[in-house]
Amino acid sequence: MKKVAVLMGSDSDLPVMKKAVSTLKQFGVEVETHIFSAHRSPEKVRAFASSAEGAGFGVIIAGAGKAAHLAGAVAAQTTLPVIGVPLSASVLDGMDALLSTVQMPAGIPVATVAIGGAENAALLACQILAVFDSAMAARLAEHRRAMTARAEQADQILQSGAE
Ligand code: RP5
């Protein structure tokens, strides 16, 4: 199976981005995690992104806050799918990073999840891998069934008057 890279702009992003790592591991994905900054270590970003496909990665997740250029800078160097996670790291509460990540000019797409949406980024990465991996598709289907069961159980508890 292809690996997934989880990149982030700063160690201050780790508390949110580690949810992507744990979710990917839960689905049996081999993960590599790096702190690479589009602004502070642009050469590292370029070197990693341009060699990622050859290194066996299938998807790259990139989380950053403020003027969040990381996902776009990565996407500029590879045709692998790139998922951007805008992070709340300033008085603008992630709106700055959301717009910086989602508003990519035509030609270089970044699939952007919600502010702080590290878990969904990991699930989307698994869904991309599942296109050519039926075992992964089965794990995702089971995850959905478990979510449905939890939602139905919560409703049953509510209806019973126990809450
Ligand atoms: C971004 O600036 C990082 O992704 C982080 O979210 C934000 C703040 O970084 P630090 O100043 O905490 O290192 O590049």
Side-chain angles (χ1 to χ4, degrees), residues 105-122:
I108 308 291
V110 167
T112 305
V113 296
I115 297 167
E119 181 174 356
N120 265 3

Side-chain angles (χ1 to χ4, degrees), residues 101-154:
T101 306
V102 79
Q103 288 283 53
M104 285 299 291
I108 308 291
V110 167
T112 305
V113 296
I115 297 167
E119 181 174 356
N120 265 3
L123 290 169
L124 182 54
C126 289
Q127 289 179 211
I128 292 167
L129 297 180
V131 172
F132 295 109
D133 184 335
S134 57
M136 174 62 82
R139 286 197 284 278
L140 285 162
E142 178 51 38
H143 181 256
R144 293 271 174 110
R145 278 193 288 275
M147 269 196 309
T148 301
R150 280 198 301 277
E152 288 173 357
Q153 189 186 20

Side-chain angles (χ1 to χ4, degrees), residues 149-163:
R150 280 198 301 277
E152 288 173 357
Q153 189 186 20
D155 184 56
Q156 279 165 13
I157 291 169
L158 185 67
Q159 299 311 317
S160 73
E163 293 257 320

Side-chain angles (χ1 to χ4, degrees), residues 69-90:
H69 295 124
L70 181 60
V74 168
Q77 301 287 342
T78 181
T79 55
L80 290 175
V82 175
I83 303 171
V85 186
L87 299 172
S88 175
S90 77

